[in-house]
């Protein structure tokens, strides 16, 4: 990406406002007024066919008449005029178009949008929008938008797909005291998208934390790559997480792949921290822009009130950083800064007697201690203490500790004096919240950030003992033979080509052939109908298990065929599969979908009711290394079943991790062919005894006509 061109668009030294107006109430009026009021120091060129003067500035009939260079053009003329003015901008040498106007793909005018981007690219320009509010930047004193004013100054940057939300957040920065340097509206993302913004903001000297409001991504893989490479924390609030596309899914996995789950996985893997709602986006942005990540698990809470201490303890558990007691030596030292009836455990309760000194001494000692990875300081306003005094004590202690690589957050519960003290703390670099839960939640965000960074660091090393050519050959033959898609036998052969253990399955067309195969595979066997017209084999009476002799196999063959015909008279029956009957173990499901935004993904969950009713599954964007796959196994609620809970023996999680990793390679290598897959069930045995795919389906992509 050319960062220079984006600099011209997003930090312009001169701006033309195309559609500038002197009529109050028009957006073309507001944008000029905002540029003037924000103190913009670059050149402003109002463009209006009438020429003359607009708000005291000389106006030009066309950008082509402007004497100086123009970096960016804010477009506030109706959509239908934009292609023509874009071309003029190109001829003028403008570097970027800020297309505020609506009336493009959001109302079905994709053609107009494409035309504008094509014109822009012809001249080497980039396009922000269309359908946006504009751009706001404190460091450039630039409000090139129709949002009323620049946000509260700070070091975060917001990129928002929703314009209205950006305007609302802009105003609320002053209430919430969360400072932003930039707010950028990206609307329809016809050209500049989140991937570009993350890369550009990562290089922006005035941004310390990148905050995103996302409805949907374009170019998911590039976004992930740029986010993973970014040196700055990124936080995203994702809306629209309902299960899109689920109804159309052909596989089990497809129906479980609501966009929410795949987005969660992609953000995790890219090291992006999630926010759960707007409040949370503000809270977490504040902490991520002021504090370093939390590198270990040990959170210490210091409080003057038992109640808020317990509330914060509950929150810590809820957000995945449960409290542990500090080592004896830490407790002994802390006891020196509290009365006898205090508690040096965790939370450390200094009691309602605590004044500035106790806070200051205990915070300074604890923050510097190597056992402590992060600190939450709570304070309930009391009649004997001045909140500002406590705040100053906390800040002095943090500074005196010399620690800069651990996070701290604060919650003061009280009235106006507490609010004022918290404002002071934030101005001095310490995030502070009126709600203890929020103070803990943001530390969890800093922990998630560190963990995600670790996870993103696992490279995928492809398996070399796989036979991609053999897999492709099976697909090619099947496509040539018919439109019916891959059978179970063919699907399993592809899994085998990727070195995955599969219950041996062969296709028989006659009773005698079935017996021969059963003898070759070894008893007991399972037999199943193979017909692309019958997806639910058991419902059709098309499955017989635990067959131990030639006679049983013959009888099963006849019964299965007649049941299938009774179930669907004109079913196209390819035969009956004879399969080795895997011994009983724990059932799990593996699967994949080729997601429109992120490409191939893999899924893991426990089988049976866990997947059917509880939908207890987890996704990753493929490929995943065996280490990442192993971590996936702990993601689901049912993880203790595999880990060996309540007298159960631990299951072979290493074998599952290997299987998942190979699976992920298969769906990536064959991404041009495979749409969805299910391996269901996969049976996993005790530790060191492996896992085996018992049933599998691969659904191919439709061939484009
Ligand atoms: N070059 C320069 N100026 C031109 C022009 C051209 N080719 N063609 C027209 N103009 C002038 C007009 O004469 C007018 O100036 P005037 O007030 O002096 O007459 C000005 O540009 C604006 O044009 P107008 O036709 O009055 O449009 P408008 O102000 O009613 O609406 C938009 C223009 C872009 C604001 C409107 O079409 C729109 O898209 N609104 C939605 C914006 C939005 O919500 N964005 C997304 C937020 S999330």
């Amino acid at each position: 990406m050319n960062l220079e061109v984006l600099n011209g668009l997003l930090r312009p030294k001169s701006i033309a406002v195309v559609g500038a107006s002197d009529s109050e109430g028009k957006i073309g009026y507001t944008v000029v007024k905002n540029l003037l009021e924000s103190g913009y120091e670059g050149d402003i060129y109002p463009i209006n066919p009438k020429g003359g003067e607009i708000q005291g500035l000389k106006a030009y009939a066309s950008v082509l008449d402007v004497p100086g260079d123009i970096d960016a053009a804010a477009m506030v003329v109706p959509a239908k005029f934009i292609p023509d003015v874009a071309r003029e901008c190109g001829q003028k040498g403008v570097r970027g178009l800020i297309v505020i106007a609506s009336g493009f793909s959001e109302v079905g005018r994709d053609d107009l949008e494409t035309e504008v981007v094509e014109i822009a690219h012809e001249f080497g320009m980039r396009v922000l929008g269309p359908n946006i509010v504009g751009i706001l930047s404190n460091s450039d004193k630039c409000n090139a938008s129709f949002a009323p004013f620049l946000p509260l100054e700070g070091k975060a940057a917001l990129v928002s797909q929703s314009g209205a939300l950006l305007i609302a957040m802009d105003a609320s920065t002053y209430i919430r005291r969360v400072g932003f340097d930039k707010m950028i509206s990206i609307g329809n993302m016809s050209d500049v998208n989140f991937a570009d913004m993350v890369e550009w903001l990562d290089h922006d000297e005035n941004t310390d934390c990148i905050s995103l409001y996302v409805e949907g991504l374009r170019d998911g893989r590039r976004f992930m790559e740029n986010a993973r490479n970014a040196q700055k924390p990124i936080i995203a609030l994702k809306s629209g997480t309902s299960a899109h596309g689920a109804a159309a899914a052909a596989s089990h996995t497809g129906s479980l792949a609501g966009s929410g789950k795949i987005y969660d996985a992609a953000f995790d893997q890219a090291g992006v921290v999630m926010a759960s709602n707007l409040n949370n986006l503000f809270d977490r942005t504040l902490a991520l822009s002021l504090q370093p990540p939390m590198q270990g698990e040990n959170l210490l809470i210091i409080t003057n009130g038992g109640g808020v201490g317990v509330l914060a303890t509950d929150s810590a558990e809820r957000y995945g950083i449960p409290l542990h007691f500090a080592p004896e030596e830490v407790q002994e030292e802390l006891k020196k800064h509290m009365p006898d009836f205090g508690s040096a455990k965790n939370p450390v309760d200094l009691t309602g007697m605590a004044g500035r000194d106790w806070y200051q001494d205990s915070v300074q000692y604890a923050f510097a201690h190597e056992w402590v990875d992060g600190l939450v300081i709570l304070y309930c306003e009391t009649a004997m203490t001045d909140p500002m005094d406590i705040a100053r004590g906390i800040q002095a202690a943090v500074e005196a500790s010399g620690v800069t690589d651990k996070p701290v957050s604060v919650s003061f519960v009280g009235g106006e004096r507490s609010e004022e003290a918290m404002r002071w703390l934030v101005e001095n670099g310490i995030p502070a919240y009126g709600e203890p839960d929020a103070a803990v939640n943001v530390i969890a965000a800093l922990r998630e950030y560190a963990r995600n960074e670790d996870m993103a660091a696992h490279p995928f090393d492809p398996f070399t003992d796989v036979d991609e050519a053999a897999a492709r050959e099976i697909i090619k033959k099947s496509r040539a033979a018919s439109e019916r898609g891959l059978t179970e036998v063919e699907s399993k052969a592809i899994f085998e080509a990727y070195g995955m253990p599969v219950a041996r399955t062969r296709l028989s067309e006659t009773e005698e052939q079935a017996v021969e195969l059963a003898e070759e595979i070894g008893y007991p066997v399972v037999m199943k109908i193979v017909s692309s017209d019958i997806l639910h084999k058991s419902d059709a009476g098309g499955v017989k298990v635990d067959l131990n002799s030639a006679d049983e196999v013959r009888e099963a063959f006849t019964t299965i065929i007649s049941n299938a015909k009774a179930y669907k008279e004109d079913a196209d029956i390819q035969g009956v599969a004879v399969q080795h009957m895997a011994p009983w173990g724990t059932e799990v499901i593996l699967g994949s979908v080729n997601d429109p935004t992120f490409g191939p993904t893999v899924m893991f969950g426990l089988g049976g009711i866990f997947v059917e009713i509880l939908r207890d599954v987890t996704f990753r964007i493929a490929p995943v290394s065996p280490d990442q796959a192993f971590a996936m196994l702990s993601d689901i609620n049912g993880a203790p079943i595999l880990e060996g809970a309540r007298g159960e023996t631990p299951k072979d999680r290493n074998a599952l991790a290997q299987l998942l990793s190979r699976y992920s390679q298969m769906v990536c290598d064959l991404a041009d062919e495979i749409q969805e897959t299910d391996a269901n069930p996969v049976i996993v045995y005790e530790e060191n005894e492996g896992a085996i795919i018992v049933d599998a389906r691969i659904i191919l992509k439709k061939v484009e006509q």
Side-chain angles (χ1 to χ4, degrees), residues 210 220 358 361 390 399 419 445 452 464 535 556 615 617 648 690:
I210 303 167
W358 286 354
D361 293 343
I390 303 289
E399 200 168 297
E419 290 296 321
N452 289 356
T464 48
L535 294 183
R615 302 170 79 83
V617 294
E648 289 262 343

Side-chain angles (χ1 to χ4, degrees), residues 452-646:
N452 289 356
E453 290 277 287
D454 277 358
M455 189 159 111
H458 285 290
F460 177 76
D461 214 355
F463 293 90
T464 48
D465 57 341
V466 303
D467 194 346
E468 182 182 337
R472 287 195 178 276
E473 193 54 33
I474 296 166
I475 294 171
K476 201 169 130 196
K477 274 195 187 141
S478 161
R479 284 208 193 270
S482 74
E483 295 277 304
R484 65 173 155 72
L486 295 174
T487 61
E488 181 187 336
V489 175
E490 290 163 332
S491 298
K492 282 182 167 172
I494 293 174
F495 280 90
E496 273 185 311
Y498 271 82
M500 288 178 256
V502 173
R504 292 188 69 197
T505 306
R506 299 283 181 272
L507 182 66
S508 65
E509 286 172 1
T510 62
E511 254 178 63
E512 281 322 306
Q513 206 183 351
V515 172
E516 265 167 43
L517 290 176
E519 315 250 284
E520 188 189 316
I521 290 168
Y523 294 108
V525 294
V526 176
M527 291 173 64
K528 292 187 247 180
I529 189 74
V530 179
S531 164
S532 45
D533 293 326
I534 301 175
L535 294 183
H536 302 288
K537 291 172 255 189
S538 301
D539 294 355
V543 181
K544 297 281 166 205
V545 300
D546 204 11
L547 308 168
N548 283 294
S549 65
D551 283 348
E552 284 179 22
V553 167
R554 273 193 204 95
E555 194 188 324
F557 189 96
T558 325
T559 318
I560 286 173
I561 297 283
S562 66
N563 283 354
K565 285 189 174 147
Y567 182 76
K568 195 161 191 293
E569 211 178 324
D570 57 347
D572 175 18
I573 294 170
Q574 280 93 50
V576 177
V578 182
Q579 175 189 319
H580 174 64
M581 186 161 142
W584 182 241
T586 302
E587 268 186 42
V588 299
I589 175 171
L590 273 57
S592 76
V593 291
N594 212 332
D595 182 76
T597 308
F598 295 103
T601 63
V602 282
M603 184 197 80
F604 168 75
L606 290 177
I609 58 158
F610 291 99
V611 59
E612 300 283 349
I613 297 169
L614 303 175
R615 302 170 79 83
D616 185 16
V617 294
T618 181
F619 279 85
R620 288 286 187 286
I621 310 305
V624 288
S625 68
D627 284 347
Q628 284 175 310
F630 196 90
M632 261 178 103
L633 307 179
S634 306
D635 254 16
I636 55 166
N637 295 327
I641 292 177
L642 296 175
E643 288 157 8
R646 294 198 164 245

Side-chain angles (χ1 to χ4, degrees), residues 17-23 25-29 47-50 54 60-62 75-79 81-82 84-85 88 99-104 106 130-134 146 161-164 167 185 187:
V17 181
V18 181
S21 171
D22 242 344
S23 310
K26 284 199 180 183
I27 290 186
Y29 173 89
I47 311 295
N48 185 299
K50 295 193 273 284
I54 287 177
Y60 299 86
S62 154
M75 313 286 236
V76 279
V77 289
F81 300 130
I82 302 274
D84 286 344
V85 286
E88 285 184 5
V99 186
I100 293 175
S102 302
F104 294 87
E106 81 283 4
N131 189 28
I132 61 174
V133 170
F146 64 90
Q161 212 167 338
S162 155
I167 299 179
S185 169

Side-chain angles (χ1 to χ4, degrees), residues 35-54:
L35 279 167
L36 291 169
E37 284 184 354
S38 59
Y40 181 65
E41 285 163 357
D43 295 317
I44 307 169
Y45 299 113
I47 311 295
N48 185 299
K50 295 193 273 284
E53 234 185 43
I54 287 177

Side-chain angles (χ1 to χ4, degrees), residues 16-17 120 139 191 281 394 426 433 439 448-449 560 603 607 613 639 670 675 696 705:
V17 181
S139 48
D191 177 25
L281 182 67
I394 290 171
V426 172
Y433 307 87
E448 282 162 36
Y449 175 45
I560 286 173
M603 184 197 80
I613 297 169
L670 306 174
Q675 182 54 39
Q705 300 298 325

